[in-house]
């Protein structure tokens, strides 16, 4: 075992109170899997993780550990937190290489006759499909593209998530006996009513990938793009020698800015209306972006996009942070007469995404209730207003991280099992 790995393992105190587990959205039993690593029982460590997740190699790499498990590690107060992400990725990679089973062979369920359709193959869909298949159900993934992965493939750049790792992780899940219908988009190639007729239960896990807008002048100009749309469809313009403004402070903004810089942009500016400490992006992503020459304009807000037919300039205003009654954090307020203009060729809006309105309207006509914000309404069991239909991930408006999406997929699989077996839902 490598010295560096041993040091990371031994750094864990195996706390009985398990604060790291509380900080993990998936509630992975972190002290238990690290304990097995200390004994060099890697298969057992993997199977501990497999009780709650099937994306070990992925979450170990891309989760915002500093604000989740590692952010709750007791060791952070005196030294530094245990590098939980690195250890999870190590175990996940070993499992892919050595073909460890998710479960002990004795625990694998016998095949059942019930059929479940999972619409979408992002972290929520893959997780739900995997846990149901492990229970013996016949699972079919309905995927609109010709490859699986959803957000993992189309929303996270390769420099953050190696495509070979992604493919191996997906194949391990599909090899559980899951069927896939590729190039099949809900609302276009197949309707929910057809799925309800053919399957015993449905899990809707398509993402929310329509870019949100700010409602400012000039957003309709050529050269204004949505961050999520760029990452998903990979339809980039030629950035070479150009000036690009990326609006937002999350990981989508970081991914867009870094990709654009890699593609030859002369200057890339991340414009964020709050302070750096308030950025939702993971700290290591911010630091890596800075190291790659991306300039951050904190406490600045874009108010106008200027140009005849295409983007030529943007107008921004500086902000100050003010503590307001009822607010949990300081809010940005525009500073009067602090406006300035910048020469910009492209503007990337990375301020969030929403669900596709036409698809949601169709679902409403088919008995699925959608709230005023355009998200599918579910109960605490992730069940929609149609008892056979469940939903999770971005389309229900939950926290937008891979771990939270995966958690909804696992929890939904548990609820679907109850439904299919006629057990009480609450």
């Amino acid at each position: 075992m490598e010295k560096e790995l041993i040091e990371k393992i031994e750094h864990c105190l195996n706390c009985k109170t398990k604060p790291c587990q509380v900080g993990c959205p998936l509630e992975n039993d972190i002290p238990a899997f690290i304990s097995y690593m200390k004994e060099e029982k890697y298969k057992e460590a993997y199977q501990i993780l497999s009780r709650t997740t099937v994306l070990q190699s992925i979450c170990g790499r891309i989760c915002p550990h500093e604000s989740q498990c590692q952010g709750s590690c007791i060791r952070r107060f005196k030294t530094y937190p245990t590098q939980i992400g690195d250890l999870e990725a190590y175990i996940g990679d070993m499992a892919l290489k050595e073909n460890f089973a998710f479960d002990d062979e004795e625990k694998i369920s016998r095949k059942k006759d019930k059929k479940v359709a999972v619409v979408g193959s992002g972290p929520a869909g893959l997780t739900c499909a995997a846990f149901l298949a492990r229970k013996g159900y016949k699972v079919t993934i309905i995927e609109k593209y010709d490859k699986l992965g959803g957000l993992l493939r189309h929303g996270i750049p390769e420099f953050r998530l190696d495509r070979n790792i992604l493919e191996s992780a997906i194949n391990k899940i599909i090899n559980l006996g899951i069927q896939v219908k590729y190039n099949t988009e809900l609302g276009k190639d197949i309707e929910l009513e057809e799925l309800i007729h053919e399957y015993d239960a449905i899990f809707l896990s398509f993402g929310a990938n329509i870019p949100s807008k700010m409602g400012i002048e000039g957003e309709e100009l050529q050269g204004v793009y949505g961050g999520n749309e760029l990452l998903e469809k990979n339809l980039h313009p030629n950035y070479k020698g150009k000036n690009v403004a990326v609006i937002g402070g999350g990981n989508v903004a970081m991914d867009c800015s870094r990709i654009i810089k890699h593609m030859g942009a002369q200057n890339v500016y991340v414009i964020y209306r709050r302070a750096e400490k308030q950025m939702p992006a993971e700290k290591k992503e911010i630091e890596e972006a800075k190291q790659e020459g991306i300039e951050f304009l904190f406490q600045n807000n874009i108010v106008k996009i200027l140009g005849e037919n295409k983007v030529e300039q943007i107008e921004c205003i500086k902000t100050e942070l003010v503590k307001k009654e009822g607010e949990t954090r300081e809010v940005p307020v525009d500073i009067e007469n602090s406006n300035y203009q910048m020469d910009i060729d492209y503007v990337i809006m990375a301020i969030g995404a929403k669900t596709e309105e036409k698809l949601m309207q169709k679902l409403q006509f088919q008995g699925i209730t959608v709230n005023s914000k355009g998200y599918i309404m579910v109960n605490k069991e992730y069940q929609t207003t149609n008892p056979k239909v469940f939903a999770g991930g971005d389309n229900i408006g939950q926290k937008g991280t891979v771990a939270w999406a995966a958690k909804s997929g696992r929890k939904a699989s548990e609820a679907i099992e109850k439904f299919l077996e006629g057990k009480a839902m609450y």
Side-chain angles (χ1 to χ4, degrees):
M1 192 186 299
E2 298 175 5
K3 181 180 178 181
E4 183 181 355
L5 178 63
I6 294 173
E7 290 176 353
K8 290 179 180 179
I9 294 171
E10 294 298 332
H11 195 69
C12 177
L13 297 175
N14 296 108
C15 305
K16 292 184 179 180
T17 55
K18 303 182 181 183
C20 52
Q21 184 175 13
V22 175
C24 172
L26 282 160
E27 301 169 331
N28 294 336
D29 193 342
I30 294 162
F33 98 78
I34 295 178
S35 289
Y36 277 119
M37 291 188 75
K38 289 180 179 180
E39 299 175 24
E40 298 188 33
K41 295 181 178 180
Y42 301 120
K43 184 176 180 180
E44 290 83 352
Y46 176 70
Q47 289 178 343
I48 287 289
L49 282 170
S50 294
R51 294 174 184 173
T52 47
T53 179
V54 293
L55 301 174
Q56 299 89 347
S57 290
I58 294 169
C59 285
R61 286 176 165 83
I62 65 173
C63 271
H65 306 105
E66 293 166 348
S67 60
Q68 294 181 168
C69 56
Q70 291 175 197
S72 300
C73 177
I74 199 72
R75 298 222 63 176
R76 77 189 191 279
F77 292 112
K78 290 189 176 180
T79 54
Y80 57 89
T82 301
Q83 301 302 293
I84 298 165
D86 292 347
L87 297 178
E88 182 180 5
Y90 181 88
I91 287 295
D93 291 355
M94 179 178 284
L96 295 176
K97 184 178 179 181
E98 302 295 333
N99 197 29
F100 292 161
F102 285 116
D103 310 276
D104 293 332
E105 293 298 327
E106 300 174 358
K107 294 182 180 179
I108 297 177
S109 301
R110 289 181 295 177
K111 294 295 180 183
K112 299 180 174 70
D113 292 331
K114 302 290 186 179
K115 299 192 302 180
V116 182
V118 174
V119 182
S121 64
L126 288 172
T127 300
C128 182
F131 275 92
L132 286 170
R134 287 162 65 182
K135 292 288 187 180
Y137 296 103
K138 297 177 181 177
V139 181
T140 300
I141 293 176
I142 311 295
E143 170 55 46
K144 72 175 180 178
Y145 292 117
D146 59 359
K147 290 185 177 181
L148 300 177
L151 164 76
L152 301 173
R153 183 181 300 279
H154 304 291
I156 298 174
E158 191 165 1
F159 55 74
R160 285 186 61 206
L161 179 58
D162 184 279
R163 290 300 178 260
N164 292 326
I165 294 292
L166 177 60
E167 292 292 351
S168 296
I170 291 174
N171 288 338
K172 187 174 180 66
I173 291 170
I174 297 305
N175 288 340
L176 289 166
I178 295 167
Q179 301 297 310
V180 183
K181 291 184 179 180
Y182 294 100
N183 300 307
T184 305
E185 185 172 355
L186 183 66
K188 292 183 180 179
D189 304 302
I190 196 167
E191 298 296 338
L192 180 61
E193 290 174 342
E194 298 175 63
L195 296 177
I196 291 172
H197 178 74
E198 184 177 352
Y199 294 90
D200 299 292
I202 299 96
F203 179 58
L204 301 178
S205 58
F206 54 84
N209 294 324
I210 305 301
S212 298
K213 292 188 175 182
M214 294 182 67
I216 61 174
E217 181 182 331
E219 277 185 296
E220 76 289 347
L221 290 174
Q222 182 182 343
V224 179
Y225 295 91
N228 295 78
E229 187 176 34
L230 277 181
L231 293 175
E232 179 180 357
K233 298 180 179 178
N234 201 30
L235 298 175
H236 293 272
N238 183 1
Y239 300 116
K240 289 185 178 179
K242 303 295 185 180
N243 297 322
V244 183
V246 179
I247 317 302
N251 281 334
V252 171
M254 298 305 101
D255 290 341
C256 287
S257 62
R258 294 176 67 189
I259 288 173
I260 290 167
K261 189 67 175 179
H262 290 182
M263 294 178 72
Q266 181 176 348
N267 296 299
V268 179
Y269 306 95
V270 171
I271 300 175
Y272 183 58
R273 64 195 184 108
R274 298 179 182 271
E276 180 173 2
K277 64 181 180 181
Q278 296 175 323
M279 288 190 81
E282 195 171 359
K283 288 181 181 178
K284 68 177 183 180
E285 299 299 327
I286 298 170
E287 291 307 314
E288 288 175 4
K290 288 179 179 178
Q291 291 169 13
E292 291 175 6
I294 292 161
E295 186 175 343
F296 285 76
L297 302 178
F298 299 111
Q299 291 183 227
N300 286 267
N301 195 17
I302 182 171
V303 294
K304 191 182 298 184
I305 304 171
L306 306 168
E308 290 294 329
N309 297 307
K310 62 183 182 67
V311 176
E312 296 175 10
Q313 289 184 323
I314 60 172
E315 182 174 321
C316 298
I317 192 168
K318 294 184 181 297
T319 67
E320 59 181 344
L321 299 176
V322 177
K323 183 67 177 178
K324 289 190 175 181
E325 186 177 349
E327 297 287 345
T328 56
R329 61 175 179 171
E330 295 175 316
V331 298
V333 176
D334 293 346
I335 299 174
E336 193 175 350
N337 299 322
S338 65
N339 300 57
Y340 63 95
Q341 293 181 349
M342 298 173 62
D343 292 333
I344 292 292
D345 300 291
Y346 295 105
V347 176
I348 314 301
M349 294 292 183
I351 56 171
K354 55 186 179 180
T355 53
E356 186 179 344
E357 187 175 351
K358 288 183 179 179
L359 175 57
M360 288 300 174
Q361 288 175 347
K362 274 195 170 186
L363 294 181
Q364 284 183 298
F365 283 126
Q366 295 171 28
I368 305 300
T369 300
V370 176
N371 66 22
S372 59
K373 294 183 178 180
Y375 295 117
I376 296 172
M377 292 188 67
V378 294
N379 61 23
K380 63 181 181 180
E381 296 277 9
Y382 294 91
Q383 190 176 38
T384 72
T385 41
N386 184 316
K388 286 182 70 172
V389 182
F390 298 74
D394 288 344
N395 63 34
I396 63 171
Q398 65 166 31
K399 293 181 181 179
T401 72
V402 169
W404 281 103
K407 178 180 180 177
S408 73
R410 191 189 77 220
K411 290 292 187 181
S413 76
E414 296 167 0
I416 290 170
E417 182 184 15
K418 291 179 188 176
F419 172 75
L420 294 176
E421 300 303 321
K423 298 177 181 177
M425 295 292 290
Y426 302 103

